[in-house]
Every structure is written in C-alpha cells, then in structure tokens.
Amino acid sequence: MNPAPAVPLPHPPTFWQRRIIAPLRAQLTQGATPDRLALSLAVGTACSVMPLIGVTTALNFGVALWLRLNQPVMQILNQLLAPVHLILIIVYVRLGEKIWGAVPVPISIPVLVRAFRDDPVAFLHRFGWTGVHAATAWALSVPLIVAVVYYALRPAMRALSSR
C-alpha cells in the first residue's frame, strides 16, 4: 500500500497576522466600514501620542465614545504606540518650548523624581508649564497626524475589506 502524498502544513500565523491583521479583519466583518476603521486608527494614533503620561487611555476612550469610533481598535493601537508615545514626549516638550519661547528645562528622570520627592508643589511650579508647552505642540500637530494617517490607511482598509 502506498502512503498518501504529504500535504504541506500551512505556516502558523505570524505575530502581526494574529495581533494586527486578524483583529482588523474581524472588525471589518462585524460591520465596521473601512473608512470608519481608518478614522479610528487615525484618531487613535493622534490620541495615543498625547505627551502627558497616564492620559492616553482615557483620552482614547472618551474620544472614541464621543465620535462613535471603534473602541477596541483604538485601545489596541494605544498599547502598540506606547514606545512611540514615550519618545514623542521629548519631541513635543522641545517643540512646545520653541512655540512658547520658553527656556528649555532638563528632562532627566532622576532629576524629575528627586524634585518631586523633595517638594511636589515646587515640582509642579517648576515643571507644570512643561506640560502646557508639550500639550500645545501636540494640539497643533493633531490635524496633521489625523489627516496623514487617515489618508494613508484608507486605501489599505478598503483593500482589506474587499478580500
């Protein structure tokens, strides 16, 4: 008796296929339109890089609720963009200082922690405006971020939905 011909086993899905492509496909098959999904990704990107630590999850939740965007997609994106968020904090702080014409403050974790532990009120007085500077730069960049991400992802989401 001859053995049956070997059928090649499919490759197991990659991390990106399991964690990114499959959830997006699932959202598209559950009624989310490609354009709304692209908008969710664009707005989620802008909200996820807000330069204040501890604010992005609530911001994503509130904006998604307000605009009726895809909550799971925005929260997953928020988690994926966490490293980018941390890097952009410094960029937004420096850009905000230029916009406001402010003197650059030192951004050093040990200095910040020591200053907060020594006197929290003095810390807020010294570094509070840094948050305002960074938030100003971020707010000015939001329309650009949303437009670039939305128009870049819309064709891909449409292609993904047509499959």
Side-chain angles (χ1 to χ4, degrees), residues 128-144:
W129 277 102
T130 302
V132 173
H133 299 156
T136 301
W138 169 78
L140 292 172
S141 72
V142 165
L144 179 64

Side-chain angles (χ1 to χ4, degrees), residues 86-163:
L86 292 174
I87 293 168
L88 286 179
I89 287 174
I90 297 168
V91 173
Y92 280 128
V93 166
R94 295 300 179 222
L95 186 58
E97 289 169 345
K98 288 184 194 247
I99 291 168
W100 282 82
V103 177
V105 297
I107 299 178
S108 164
I109 300 299
V111 169
L112 293 172
V113 170
R114 191 175 331 108
F116 184 77
R117 284 185 183 158
D118 291 345
D119 186 359
V121 174
F123 172 85
L124 288 176
H125 181 65
R126 181 174 179 199
F127 295 106
W129 277 102
T130 302
V132 173
H133 299 156
T136 301
W138 169 78
L140 292 172
S141 72
V142 165
L144 179 64
I145 293 170
V146 171
V148 167
V149 173
Y150 176 72
Y151 287 111
L153 290 180
R154 193 169 63 166
M157 293 298 108
R158 287 179 176 174
L160 189 62
S161 77
S162 68
R163 286 188 189 174

